[in-house]
């Protein structure tokens, strides 16, 4: 009587086209998750850059009047009065906020996609477990059936 060969059983299970298809789909999903996570990291870095820009803008906006000499210097350098200058900086603050908001929406959508792919992977894992268990059972049944047939032939 021959010993049970686990390697042959693994090869039998791995050769099944449905198992191969599910494993490839799972691998593709993991790669897609990695890509989405990288995109999310990039958007988080953009948000941080926009935060730093917003901080710089906030430092430029003055809440107290600068004085007449500062108005003259500002007018000489920019061609704008201090009220116009403050208005421009305030507008740029709104633009930066809009950029941050856009990045947060992108990150949220990427998070949803990652979550969906994770759920798909869990379903694939469940299907693979069930399918592999069934194929192993078939292999064992066939092995023991063959063993019984060989024993009968020898007698």
């Amino acid at each position: 009587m021959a010993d049970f060969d686990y390697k042959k059983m693994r090869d039998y299970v791995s050769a099944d086209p449905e198992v191969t298809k599910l494993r490839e789909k799972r691998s593709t999903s993991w790669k897609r998750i990695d890509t989405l996570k990288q995109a999310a990291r990039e958007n988080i870095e953009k948000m941080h850059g926009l935060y730093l820009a917003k901080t710089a803008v906030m430092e430029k906006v003055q809440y107290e009047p600068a004085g007449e000499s500062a108005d003259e210097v500002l007018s000489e350098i920019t061609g704008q009065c201090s009220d116009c200058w403050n208005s421009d900086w305030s507008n740029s603050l709104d633009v930066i906020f809009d950029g941050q908001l856009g990045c947060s929406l992108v990150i949220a959508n990427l998070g949803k996609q990652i979550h969906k792919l994770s759920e798909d992977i869990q379903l694939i894992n469940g299907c693979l477990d069930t399918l592999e268990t069934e194929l192993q059972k078939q292999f064992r049944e066939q092995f023991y059936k063959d063993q019984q047939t060989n024993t009968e032939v020898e007698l």
Side-chain angles (χ1 to χ4, degrees):
M1 190 161 142
D3 290 334
F4 188 79
D5 192 348
Y6 287 96
K7 184 181 180 325
K8 283 184 182 178
M9 183 175 67
R10 280 193 308 272
D11 293 344
Y12 174 76
V13 170
S14 294
D16 186 75
E18 191 66 25
V19 169
T20 304
K21 181 181 166 187
L22 287 170
R23 286 179 178 168
E24 287 174 0
K25 185 167 174 56
R26 181 177 60 186
S27 177
T28 302
S29 294
W30 277 118
K31 289 177 185 173
R32 180 75 178 131
I33 284 175
D34 289 342
T35 302
L36 292 171
K37 283 183 177 181
Q38 182 58 36
R41 282 184 198 96
E42 290 170 4
N43 276 283
I44 288 170
E45 289 171 4
K46 285 180 189 176
M47 276 187 73
H48 181 67
L50 289 168
Y51 170 77
L52 294 175
K54 183 175 88 173
T55 303
V57 168
M58 291 300 290
E59 288 177 6
K60 292 290 182 183
V61 175
Q62 295 182 0
Y63 296 101
E64 296 177 16
E68 212 169 290
S69 62
D71 275 346
E72 291 172 8
V73 171
L74 187 61
S75 179
E76 190 176 308
I77 294 172
T78 65
Q80 294 179 318
C81 66
S82 61
D83 290 337
C84 297
W85 177 254
N86 286 334
S87 175
D88 285 350
W89 277 107
S90 181
N91 289 340
S92 61
L93 185 63
D94 292 339
V95 170
I96 291 171
F97 175 76
D98 291 342
Q100 286 178 309
L101 187 59
C103 285
S104 68
L105 292 173
V106 169
I107 292 167
N109 287 332
L110 290 170
K112 286 179 184 177
Q113 292 175 34
I114 289 169
H115 182 72
K116 173 72 171 102
L117 285 169
S118 294
E119 288 177 342
D120 291 348
I121 288 171
Q122 293 304 316
L123 289 173
I124 290 169
N125 286 339
C127 291
L128 263 173
D129 287 344
T130 303
L131 184 58
E132 288 172 345
T133 301
E134 185 60 34
L135 289 169
Q136 289 169 357
K137 181 180 173 187
Q138 288 175 6
F139 184 85
R140 281 188 179 99
E141 287 173 356
Q142 186 62 43
F143 175 81
Y144 292 123
K145 186 177 180 181
D146 291 346
Q147 289 298 313
Q148 188 176 30
T149 305
N150 289 340
T151 306
E152 291 173 1
V153 169
E154 289 175 4
L155 296 176

